[in-house]
């Protein structure tokens, strides 16, 4: 077996000068970024008063709280907590559904293969970016001041926040759709509307359905958090019990939330698997 010739370093240097003769700025960029990241990390530790000794001293308090949580006990308010849990699940389901219904038609305007002109596509994308750039908790605080305390504010907070996120995801799914079906409809004499209705939408609906199911699962947890600030649901009950130091009730509410999230996750996973399986068979 003949051995491969050893490459000449001078020839390689002449053939690939951008590899061997990199500018000094390019060679120093990575080390400087690492040094800058370490400096920011160290500054953050100092500025935020990070203290391992404070963490260790707080472990005893954490252990005391954990002991006070046992055994979990709802007291005489179990029907009230079940109703609050139902409110939380309803907030997540209704808010996500409203967001998906509003985002789907608008996301078509942000897809490159539906609206080729960047002049019309750019503002729609920036609207999605602006809305999802504001956290759900902030939206909840805004809507509480607009419509008052209660689950309605929670529904609006989730719907507005998810409208931006789902709109971006839907538009990306539409842009990733196979072009062949659209070209077939165009060749058969279909209009632009027919291309979208029969060529794009059937392809992306399984993907969109999977994304909506995932957001419902995620928003079950989010609805608990925004409930703490007054948007209704079991989060409001949890905040009240923490405020009065009823730790046994707190642990019971936490267990209820965990069971609800686990059940939502299981159901969502089954539905997503069924949708993906049906798409693969088709």
């Amino acid at each position: 077996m003949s051995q491969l010739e050893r490459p000449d370093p001078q020839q390689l240097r002449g053939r690939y000068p951008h590899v061997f003769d990199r500018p000094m700025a390019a060679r120093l960029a990575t080390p400087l970024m690492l040094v800058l990241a370490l400096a920011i990390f160290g500054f953050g530790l100092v500025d935020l008063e990070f203290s391992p000794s404070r963490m260790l001293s707080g472990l005893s308090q954490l252990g005391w709280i954990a002991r006070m949580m046992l055994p979990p006990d709802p007291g005489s308010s179990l029907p009230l907590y079940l109703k609050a849990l139902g409110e939380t699940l309803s907030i997540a389901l209704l808010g996500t559904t409203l967001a998906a219904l509003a985002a789907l038609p608008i996301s078509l305007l942000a897809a490159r293969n539906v609206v080729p002109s960047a002049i019309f596509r750019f503002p729609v994308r920036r609207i999605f970016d602006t809305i999802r750039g504001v956290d759900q908790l902030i939206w909840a605080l805004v809507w509480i001041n607009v419509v008052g305390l209660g689950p309605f504010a929670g529904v609006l907070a989730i719907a507005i926040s998810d409208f931006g996120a789902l709109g971006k995801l839907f538009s990306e799914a539409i842009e990733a759709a196979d072009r062949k079906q659209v070209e077939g409809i165009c060749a058969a004499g279909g209009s632009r509307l027919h291309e979208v209705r029969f060529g794009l939408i059937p392809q992306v609906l399984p993907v969109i359905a999977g994304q909506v199911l995932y957001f419902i699962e995620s928003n079950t947890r989010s609805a608990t958090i925004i409930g703490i600030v007054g948007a209704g649901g079991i989060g409001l009950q949890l905040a009240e019990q923490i405020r009065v130091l009823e730790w046994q009730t707190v642990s019971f509410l936490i267990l209820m939330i965990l069971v609800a999230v686990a059940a939502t996750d299981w159901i969502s996973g089954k539905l997503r698997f069924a949708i993906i399986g049906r798409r693969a068979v088709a």
Side-chain angles (χ1 to χ4, degrees), residues 40-191:
I40 294 175
F41 179 73
F43 174 78
L45 292 179
V46 175
D47 187 63
L48 298 177
E49 300 179 357
F50 180 80
S51 173
S53 61
R54 291 173 61 185
M55 290 181 58
L56 293 175
S57 63
L59 288 178
S60 60
Q61 180 71 9
L62 182 62
W64 176 81
I65 293 176
R67 290 192 300 271
M68 293 295 294
M69 285 183 169
L70 299 176
D73 183 14
S76 59
S77 302
L78 180 59
L80 175 63
Y81 298 149
L82 290 174
K83 179 183 177 182
L85 182 61
E87 275 188 2
T88 297
L89 296 175
S90 300
I91 290 170
L93 179 60
L94 184 57
T96 309
T97 303
L98 291 175
L101 292 176
L104 180 56
I106 305 300
S107 63
L108 293 170
L109 303 178
R112 187 177 289 105
N113 51 349
V114 177
V115 181
S117 176
I119 297 176
F120 299 102
R121 201 172 61 246
F122 180 81
V124 179
R125 287 179 175 269
R126 298 293 77 79
I127 289 173
F128 287 151
D129 293 340
T130 302
I131 291 176
R132 77 171 187 273
V134 181
D135 191 74
Q136 278 184 352
L137 193 60
I138 299 176
W139 282 117
L141 293 172
V142 170
W143 284 112
I144 285 171
N145 286 276
V146 173
V147 300
L149 297 172
F152 183 48
V155 171
L156 293 176
I158 288 180
I160 295 298
S161 176
D162 283 0
F163 170 77
L166 289 174
K168 176 179 173 58
L169 292 175
F170 290 175
S171 65
E172 292 176 350
I174 294 170
E175 289 180 343
D178 190 1
R179 184 66 186 171
K180 293 180 181 178
Q181 296 186 25
V182 178
E183 292 174 350
I185 294 173
C186 180
S191 65

Side-chain angles (χ1 to χ4, degrees), residues 14 22-24 32 34 61 66 71 75 96 116 127 130 134 171 173 179 199-200 218 227 238 260 264-265 272 275 279:
R22 296 176 63 196
M24 182 64 67
L32 288 177
L34 291 175
Q61 180 71 9
T96 309
I127 289 173
T130 302
V134 181
S171 65
R179 184 66 186 171
L200 289 177
S218 176
L238 182 62
T264 306
D265 181 30
R272 285 201 302 268
I275 292 171
R279 184 186 181 191

Side-chain angles (χ1 to χ4, degrees), residues 236-255:
L236 181 60
Q237 301 295 330
L238 182 62
E240 290 180 355
Q241 297 305 315
I242 292 176
R243 194 174 297 114
V244 297
L245 305 180
E246 290 289 343
W247 296 113
Q248 289 180 305
T249 306
V250 169
S251 64
F252 184 83
L253 293 176
I254 292 175
L255 288 176

Side-chain angles (χ1 to χ4, degrees), residues 260-273:
V261 170
T264 306
D265 181 30
W266 184 80
I267 296 172
S268 175
K270 291 292 184 181
L271 291 175
R272 285 201 302 268
F273 181 78

